[in-house]
Amino acid sequence: MDRAGGEDLEADPGEIAARTVLPPSLRPRLGLIGVLAALVVVVIGVLYSGHSAPGAVDRWIFPPTADSVRAPWRQVALVLDFLGEPAGSAMVIVAGVVGCLMLRLPRSAVLVVAGAGATVGTTTVLKHVVGRTIHGPGNLSYPSGHTAFATALALMAALIATDRLGLGRTAGTSLVLASGLVAGAVMGWAEVGLGAHYPTDALGGWCTALAVIPATAWLVDRAADRLGDRPPRRTADAGRRERP
């Protein structure tokens, strides 16, 4: 359970349903968005499979190998880049897990670990499948793992906030998408500006997180329910036992 047991007995069914890491009201929309995002990842991957140069879209958006970020913004970009590296990402994940546990959200803590792992794992596999490179044959670039990781964190944080704030379908979906868009755009800017990725790599990373996180959250809910982490339903007898 993500909240104190005493409150669960008095909560209404709609409130209980919202305590999953993927609120039921958001599932249809985020599921559809996830499918569309996965299609975008596949299409871009097919278009740039085996390439080692920017495409027309990349050149139109931003010179991807110019390393054009200058002080003081270069330091900001380097900090963001560090947060996507193994050491930095581990720190962020640990902080997220600790925060969830402090808020008594064990299911959300599992999502942070599983979601980050699934996102990084997916981008790693896709990089080897697509084989797009930048700055030499050893630098696989599509999709951007940094952008995917930052987007995934923002999406998971927004899902948790949607639950805690009790947001409805429209407000919750808007918060999740806006958070993912901002995080993906900021990290994508840093990666492209530092010359580490093409703009379409960043787009692919953003879409990868949009596809992976809702699916992972749904799987976490399913697994938790099967293991018995299901809030007790209010019954007339239970309600009478709780009252003096």
Side-chain angles (χ1 to χ4, degrees), residues 98-129:
V98 171
C100 289
L101 294 179
M102 290 179 65
L103 292 172
R104 298 183 181 180
L105 302 172
R107 194 181 290 201
S108 298
V110 172
L111 174 63
V112 171
V113 176
T119 302
V120 172
T122 301
T123 57
T124 300
V125 170
L126 287 173
K127 283 183 178 180
H128 287 86
V129 171

PDB file of all heavy atoms in Angstrom, residues 98-129:
ATOM      1  N   VAL A  98      14.622   6.902  -2.342  1.00  0.00           N
ATOM      2  CA  VAL A  98      14.551   7.359  -0.954  1.00  0.00           C
ATOM      3  C   VAL A  98      13.356   8.289  -0.758  1.00  0.00           C
ATOM      4  O   VAL A  98      12.619   8.182   0.231  1.00  0.00           O
ATOM      5  CB  VAL A  98      15.858   8.073  -0.555  1.00  0.00           C
ATOM      6  CG1 VAL A  98      15.705   8.755   0.811  1.00  0.00           C
ATOM      7  CG2 VAL A  98      17.015   7.087  -0.516  1.00  0.00           C
ATOM      8  N   GLY A  99      13.146   9.192  -1.724  1.00  0.00           N
ATOM      9  CA  GLY A  99      12.010  10.100  -1.620  1.00  0.00           C
ATOM     10  C   GLY A  99      10.681   9.358  -1.602  1.00  0.00           C
ATOM     11  O   GLY A  99       9.786   9.677  -0.816  1.00  0.00           O
ATOM     12  N   CYS A 100      10.546   8.353  -2.472  1.00  0.00           N
ATOM     13  CA  CYS A 100       9.311   7.563  -2.511  1.00  0.00           C
ATOM     14  C   CYS A 100       9.084   6.811  -1.201  1.00  0.00           C
ATOM     15  O   CYS A 100       7.966   6.752  -0.688  1.00  0.00           O
ATOM     16  CB  CYS A 100       9.356   6.572  -3.669  1.00  0.00           C
ATOM     17  SG  CYS A 100       9.229   7.331  -5.302  1.00  0.00           S
ATOM     18  N   LEU A 101      10.147   6.243  -0.649  1.00  0.00           N
ATOM     19  CA  LEU A 101      10.006   5.500   0.606  1.00  0.00           C
ATOM     20  C   LEU A 101       9.660   6.430   1.762  1.00  0.00           C
ATOM     21  O   LEU A 101       8.893   6.060   2.655  1.00  0.00           O
ATOM     22  CB  LEU A 101      11.294   4.729   0.890  1.00  0.00           C
ATOM     23  CG  LEU A 101      11.628   3.604  -0.095  1.00  0.00           C
ATOM     24  CD1 LEU A 101      12.937   2.933   0.273  1.00  0.00           C
ATOM     25  CD2 LEU A 101      10.495   2.576  -0.159  1.00  0.00           C
ATOM     26  N   MET A 102      10.226   7.630   1.741  1.00  0.00           N
ATOM     27  CA  MET A 102       9.890   8.591   2.789  1.00  0.00           C
ATOM     28  C   MET A 102       8.420   9.002   2.713  1.00  0.00           C
ATOM     29  O   MET A 102       7.792   9.298   3.728  1.00  0.00           O
ATOM     30  CB  MET A 102      10.791   9.822   2.678  1.00  0.00           C
ATOM     31  CG  MET A 102      12.243   9.578   3.049  1.00  0.00           C
ATOM     32  SD  MET A 102      13.271  11.065   2.883  1.00  0.00           S
ATOM     33  CE  MET A 102      12.543  12.122   4.140  1.00  0.00           C
ATOM     34  N   LEU A 103       7.874   9.011   1.496  1.00  0.00           N
ATOM     35  CA  LEU A 103       6.459   9.345   1.318  1.00  0.00           C
ATOM     36  C   LEU A 103       5.556   8.119   1.462  1.00  0.00           C
ATOM     37  O   LEU A 103       4.351   8.207   1.222  1.00  0.00           O
ATOM     38  CB  LEU A 103       6.254   9.974  -0.067  1.00  0.00           C
ATOM     39  CG  LEU A 103       6.870  11.357  -0.286  1.00  0.00           C
ATOM     40  CD1 LEU A 103       6.758  11.762  -1.748  1.00  0.00           C
ATOM     41  CD2 LEU A 103       6.195  12.393   0.604  1.00  0.00           C
ATOM     42  N   ARG A 104       6.164   6.983   1.841  1.00  0.00           N
ATOM     43  CA  ARG A 104       5.430   5.726   1.987  1.00  0.00           C
ATOM     44  C   ARG A 104       4.786   5.298   0.665  1.00  0.00           C
ATOM     45  O   ARG A 104       3.603   4.952   0.603  1.00  0.00           O
ATOM     46  CB  ARG A 104       4.374   5.840   3.090  1.00  0.00           C
ATOM     47  CG  ARG A 104       4.985   6.113   4.465  1.00  0.00           C
ATOM     48  CD  ARG A 104       3.922   6.147   5.535  1.00  0.00           C
ATOM     49  NE  ARG A 104       4.487   6.423   6.850  1.00  0.00           N
ATOM     50  CZ  ARG A 104       3.792   6.501   7.973  1.00  0.00           C
ATOM     51  NH1 ARG A 104       2.477   6.330   7.941  1.00  0.00           N
ATOM     52  NH2 ARG A 104       4.396   6.751   9.119  1.00  0.00           N
ATOM     53  N   LEU A 105       5.610   5.325  -0.381  1.00  0.00           N
ATOM     54  CA  LEU A 105       5.160   4.933  -1.711  1.00  0.00           C
ATOM     55  C   LEU A 105       6.070   3.825  -2.245  1.00  0.00           C
ATOM     56  O   LEU A 105       6.842   4.026  -3.177  1.00  0.00           O
ATOM     57  CB  LEU A 105       5.189   6.129  -2.663  1.00  0.00           C
ATOM     58  CG  LEU A 105       4.363   7.357  -2.271  1.00  0.00           C
ATOM     59  CD1 LEU A 105       4.647   8.514  -3.206  1.00  0.00           C
ATOM     60  CD2 LEU A 105       2.874   7.011  -2.277  1.00  0.00           C
ATOM     61  N   PRO A 106       6.000   2.634  -1.658  1.00  0.00           N
ATOM     62  CA  PRO A 106       6.902   1.565  -2.091  1.00  0.00           C
ATOM     63  C   PRO A 106       6.694   1.155  -3.541  1.00  0.00           C
ATOM     64  O   PRO A 106       7.653   0.810  -4.248  1.00  0.00           O
ATOM     65  CB  PRO A 106       6.576   0.410  -1.138  1.00  0.00           C
ATOM     66  CG  PRO A 106       5.200   0.713  -0.629  1.00  0.00           C
ATOM     67  CD  PRO A 106       5.115   2.204  -0.558  1.00  0.00           C
ATOM     68  N   ARG A 107       5.460   1.175  -4.001  1.00  0.00           N
ATOM     69  CA  ARG A 107       5.208   0.801  -5.392  1.00  0.00           C
ATOM     70  C   ARG A 107       5.849   1.819  -6.336  1.00  0.00           C
ATOM     71  O   ARG A 107       6.391   1.457  -7.387  1.00  0.00           O
ATOM     72  CB  ARG A 107       3.704   0.706  -5.650  1.00  0.00           C
ATOM     73  CG  ARG A 107       3.358   0.015  -6.958  1.00  0.00           C
ATOM     74  CD  ARG A 107       1.868  -0.059  -7.209  1.00  0.00           C
ATOM     75  NE  ARG A 107       1.174  -0.966  -6.311  1.00  0.00           N
ATOM     76  CZ  ARG A 107      -0.014  -1.501  -6.588  1.00  0.00           C
ATOM     77  NH1 ARG A 107      -0.632  -1.222  -7.734  1.00  0.00           N
ATOM     78  NH2 ARG A 107      -0.602  -2.312  -5.726  1.00  0.00           N
ATOM     79  N   SER A 108       5.809   3.075  -5.960  1.00  0.00           N
ATOM     80  CA  SER A 108       6.450   4.107  -6.771  1.00  0.00           C
ATOM     81  C   SER A 108       7.968   3.961  -6.752  1.00  0.00           C
ATOM     82  O   SER A 108       8.640   4.232  -7.750  1.00  0.00           O
ATOM     83  CB  SER A 108       6.049   5.503  -6.259  1.00  0.00           C
ATOM     84  OG  SER A 108       4.656   5.706  -6.379  1.00  0.00           O
ATOM     85  N   ALA A 109       8.518   3.537  -5.616  1.00  0.00           N
ATOM     86  CA  ALA A 109       9.954   3.305  -5.531  1.00  0.00           C
ATOM     87  C   ALA A 109      10.374   2.204  -6.495  1.00  0.00           C
ATOM     88  O   ALA A 109      11.409   2.296  -7.161  1.00  0.00           O
ATOM     89  CB  ALA A 109      10.342   2.934  -4.102  1.00  0.00           C
ATOM     90  N   VAL A 110       9.555   1.167  -6.586  1.00  0.00           N
ATOM     91  CA  VAL A 110       9.831   0.085  -7.540  1.00  0.00           C
ATOM     92  C   VAL A 110       9.776   0.621  -8.963  1.00  0.00           C
ATOM     93  O   VAL A 110      10.603   0.271  -9.816  1.00  0.00           O
ATOM     94  CB  VAL A 110       8.829  -1.065  -7.355  1.00  0.00           C
ATOM     95  CG1 VAL A 110       8.996  -2.107  -8.466  1.00  0.00           C
ATOM     96  CG2 VAL A 110       9.004  -1.713  -5.998  1.00  0.00           C
ATOM     97  N   LEU A 111       8.813   1.493  -9.242  1.00  0.00           N
ATOM     98  CA  LEU A 111       8.694   2.070 -10.578  1.00  0.00           C
ATOM     99  C   LEU A 111       9.936   2.866 -10.956  1.00  0.00           C
ATOM    100  O   LEU A 111      10.394   2.793 -12.100  1.00  0.00           O
ATOM    101  CB  LEU A 111       7.462   2.976 -10.658  1.00  0.00           C
ATOM    102  CG  LEU A 111       7.317   3.760 -11.972  1.00  0.00           C
ATOM    103  CD1 LEU A 111       7.130   2.805 -13.144  1.00  0.00           C
ATOM    104  CD2 LEU A 111       6.157   4.744 -11.889  1.00  0.00           C
ATOM    105  N   VAL A 112      10.480   3.626 -10.002  1.00  0.00           N
ATOM    106  CA  VAL A 112      11.668   4.423 -10.300  1.00  0.00           C
ATOM    107  C   VAL A 112      12.812   3.526 -10.769  1.00  0.00           C
ATOM    108  O   VAL A 112      13.480   3.812 -11.773  1.00  0.00           O
ATOM    109  CB  VAL A 112      12.093   5.240  -9.061  1.00  0.00           C
ATOM    110  CG1 VAL A 112      13.457   5.895  -9.286  1.00  0.00           C
ATOM    111  CG2 VAL A 112      11.044   6.306  -8.746  1.00  0.00           C
ATOM    112  N   VAL A 113      13.029   2.437 -10.057  1.00  0.00           N
ATOM    113  CA  VAL A 113      14.117   1.522 -10.419  1.00  0.00           C
ATOM    114  C   VAL A 113      13.800   0.790 -11.722  1.00  0.00           C
ATOM    115  O   VAL A 113      14.624   0.735 -12.648  1.00  0.00           O
ATOM    116  CB  VAL A 113      14.372   0.510  -9.290  1.00  0.00           C
ATOM    117  CG1 VAL A 113      15.433  -0.506  -9.703  1.00  0.00           C
ATOM    118  CG2 VAL A 113      14.802   1.231  -8.015  1.00  0.00           C
ATOM    119  N   ALA A 114      12.595   0.222 -11.793  1.00  0.00           N
ATOM    120  CA  ALA A 114      12.223  -0.554 -12.976  1.00  0.00           C
ATOM    121  C   ALA A 114      12.117   0.329 -14.212  1.00  0.00           C
ATOM    122  O   ALA A 114      12.563  -0.058 -15.310  1.00  0.00           O
ATOM    123  CB  ALA A 114      10.896  -1.270 -12.728  1.00  0.00           C
ATOM    124  N   GLY A 115      11.538   1.510 -14.056  1.00  0.00           N
ATOM    125  CA  GLY A 115      11.381   2.401 -15.200  1.00  0.00           C
ATOM    126  C   GLY A 115      12.706   2.894 -15.740  1.00  0.00           C
ATOM    127  O   GLY A 115      12.926   2.915 -16.963  1.00  0.00           O
ATOM    128  N   ALA A 116      13.606   3.291 -14.842  1.00  0.00           N
ATOM    129  CA  ALA A 116      14.925   3.741 -15.282  1.00  0.00           C
ATOM    130  C   ALA A 116      15.684   2.599 -15.943  1.00  0.00           C
ATOM    131  O   ALA A 116      16.303   2.765 -17.009  1.00  0.00           O
ATOM    132  CB  ALA A 116      15.705   4.291 -14.101  1.00  0.00           C
ATOM    133  N   GLY A 117      15.634   1.424 -15.335  1.00  0.00           N
ATOM    134  CA  GLY A 117      16.341   0.276 -15.897  1.00  0.00           C
ATOM    135  C   GLY A 117      15.797  -0.127 -17.257  1.00  0.00           C
ATOM    136  O   GLY A 117      16.563  -0.418 -18.188  1.00  0.00           O
ATOM    137  N   ALA A 118      14.469  -0.158 -17.388  1.00  0.00           N
ATOM    138  CA  ALA A 118      13.862  -0.540 -18.659  1.00  0.00           C
ATOM    139  C   ALA A 118      14.178   0.475 -19.752  1.00  0.00           C
ATOM    140  O   ALA A 118      14.433   0.102 -20.910  1.00  0.00           O
ATOM    141  CB  ALA A 118      12.348  -0.671 -18.492  1.00  0.00           C
ATOM    142  N   THR A 119      14.181   1.749 -19.398  1.00  0.00           N
ATOM    143  CA  THR A 119      14.468   2.785 -20.391  1.00  0.00           C
ATOM    144  C   THR A 119      15.914   2.704 -20.870  1.00  0.00           C
ATOM    145  O   THR A 119      16.187   2.734 -22.074  1.00  0.00           O
ATOM    146  CB  THR A 119      14.195   4.176 -19.801  1.00  0.00           C
ATOM    147  OG1 THR A 119      12.827   4.257 -19.374  1.00  0.00           O
ATOM    148  CG2 THR A 119      14.465   5.265 -20.819  1.00  0.00           C
ATOM    149  N   VAL A 120      16.849   2.612 -19.930  1.00  0.00           N
ATOM    150  CA  VAL A 120      18.266   2.525 -20.297  1.00  0.00           C
ATOM    151  C   VAL A 120      18.529   1.240 -21.081  1.00  0.00           C
ATOM    152  O   VAL A 120      19.253   1.243 -22.084  1.00  0.00           O
ATOM    153  CB  VAL A 120      19.152   2.582 -19.037  1.00  0.00           C
ATOM    154  CG1 VAL A 120      20.612   2.292 -19.391  1.00  0.00           C
ATOM    155  CG2 VAL A 120      19.025   3.950 -18.370  1.00  0.00           C
ATOM    156  N   GLY A 121      17.930   0.134 -20.632  1.00  0.00           N
ATOM    157  CA  GLY A 121      18.118  -1.129 -21.332  1.00  0.00           C
ATOM    158  C   GLY A 121      17.590  -1.078 -22.762  1.00  0.00           C
ATOM    159  O   GLY A 121      18.229  -1.586 -23.696  1.00  0.00           O
ATOM    160  N   THR A 122      16.425  -0.463 -22.941  1.00  0.00           N
ATOM    161  CA  THR A 122      15.828  -0.365 -24.276  1.00  0.00           C
ATOM    162  C   THR A 122      16.686   0.479 -25.208  1.00  0.00           C
ATOM    163  O   THR A 122      16.918   0.107 -26.367  1.00  0.00           O
ATOM    164  CB  THR A 122      14.414   0.231 -24.192  1.00  0.00           C
ATOM    165  OG1 THR A 122      13.600  -0.591 -23.350  1.00  0.00           O
ATOM    166  CG2 THR A 122      13.782   0.321 -25.572  1.00  0.00           C
ATOM    167  N   THR A 123      17.173   1.616 -24.725  1.00  0.00           N
ATOM    168  CA  THR A 123      18.005   2.462 -25.583  1.00  0.00           C
ATOM    169  C   THR A 123      19.317   1.765 -25.936  1.00  0.00           C
ATOM    170  O   THR A 123      19.814   1.908 -27.059  1.00  0.00           O
ATOM    171  CB  THR A 123      18.304   3.812 -24.905  1.00  0.00           C
ATOM    172  OG1 THR A 123      18.929   3.588 -23.628  1.00  0.00           O
ATOM    173  CG2 THR A 123      17.025   4.620 -24.699  1.00  0.00           C
ATOM    174  N   THR A 124      19.865   1.016 -24.995  1.00  0.00           N
ATOM    175  CA  THR A 124      21.117   0.306 -25.263  1.00  0.00           C
ATOM    176  C   THR A 124      20.929  -0.731 -26.362  1.00  0.00           C
ATOM    177  O   THR A 124      21.743  -0.836 -27.292  1.00  0.00           O
ATOM    178  CB  THR A 124      21.632  -0.378 -23.989  1.00  0.00           C
ATOM    179  OG1 THR A 124      21.855   0.617 -22.972  1.00  0.00           O
ATOM    180  CG2 THR A 124      22.942  -1.113 -24.260  1.00  0.00           C
ATOM    181  N   VAL A 125      19.836  -1.493 -26.270  1.00  0.00           N
ATOM    182  CA  VAL A 125      19.557  -2.503 -27.293  1.00  0.00           C
ATOM    183  C   VAL A 125      19.314  -1.839 -28.650  1.00  0.00           C
ATOM    184  O   VAL A 125      19.848  -2.282 -29.687  1.00  0.00           O
ATOM    185  CB  VAL A 125      18.334  -3.351 -26.887  1.00  0.00           C
ATOM    186  CG1 VAL A 125      17.887  -4.237 -28.044  1.00  0.00           C
ATOM    187  CG2 VAL A 125      18.664  -4.201 -25.664  1.00  0.00           C
ATOM    188  N   LEU A 126      18.530  -0.762 -28.657  1.00  0.00           N
ATOM    189  CA  LEU A 126      18.229  -0.083 -29.913  1.00  0.00           C
ATOM    190  C   LEU A 126      19.482   0.494 -30.570  1.00  0.00           C
ATOM    191  O   LEU A 126      19.603   0.485 -31.808  1.00  0.00           O
ATOM    192  CB  LEU A 126      17.212   1.032 -29.670  1.00  0.00           C
ATOM    193  CG  LEU A 126      15.782   0.579 -29.393  1.00  0.00           C
ATOM    194  CD1 LEU A 126      14.906   1.769 -28.987  1.00  0.00           C
ATOM    195  CD2 LEU A 126      15.192  -0.098 -30.626  1.00  0.00           C
ATOM    196  N   LYS A 127      20.412   0.988 -29.775  1.00  0.00           N
ATOM    197  CA  LYS A 127      21.642   1.533 -30.345  1.00  0.00           C
ATOM    198  C   LYS A 127      22.390   0.467 -31.144  1.00  0.00           C
ATOM    199  O   LYS A 127      22.897   0.735 -32.241  1.00  0.00           O
ATOM    200  CB  LYS A 127      22.535   2.080 -29.223  1.00  0.00           C
ATOM    201  CG  LYS A 127      22.088   3.429 -28.696  1.00  0.00           C
ATOM    202  CD  LYS A 127      23.046   3.951 -27.634  1.00  0.00           C
ATOM    203  CE  LYS A 127      22.610   5.326 -27.147  1.00  0.00           C
ATOM    204  NZ  LYS A 127      23.514   5.874 -26.121  1.00  0.00           N
ATOM    205  N   HIS A 128      22.464  -0.727 -30.609  1.00  0.00           N
ATOM    206  CA  HIS A 128      23.168  -1.797 -31.308  1.00  0.00           C
ATOM    207  C   HIS A 128      22.376  -2.305 -32.509  1.00  0.00           C
ATOM    208  O   HIS A 128      22.967  -2.716 -33.521  1.00  0.00           O
ATOM    209  CB  HIS A 128      23.459  -2.946 -30.343  1.00  0.00           C
ATOM    210  CG  HIS A 128      24.547  -2.646 -29.359  1.00  0.00           C
ATOM    211  ND1 HIS A 128      24.301  -1.999 -28.166  1.00  0.00           N
ATOM    212  CD2 HIS A 128      25.883  -2.875 -29.401  1.00  0.00           C
ATOM    213  CE1 HIS A 128      25.452  -1.859 -27.500  1.00  0.00           C
ATOM    214  NE2 HIS A 128      26.419  -2.382 -28.232  1.00  0.00           N
ATOM    215  N   VAL A 129      21.063  -2.272 -32.425  1.00  0.00           N
ATOM    216  CA  VAL A 129      20.236  -2.719 -33.552  1.00  0.00           C
ATOM    217  C   VAL A 129      20.299  -1.717 -34.701  1.00  0.00           C
ATOM    218  O   VAL A 129      20.471  -2.094 -35.867  1.00  0.00           O
ATOM    219  CB  VAL A 129      18.780  -2.926 -33.096  1.00  0.00           C
ATOM    220  CG1 VAL A 129      17.867  -3.167 -34.296  1.00  0.00           C
ATOM    221  CG2 VAL A 129      18.694  -4.091 -32.120  1.00  0.00           C
TER     222      VAL A 129
END
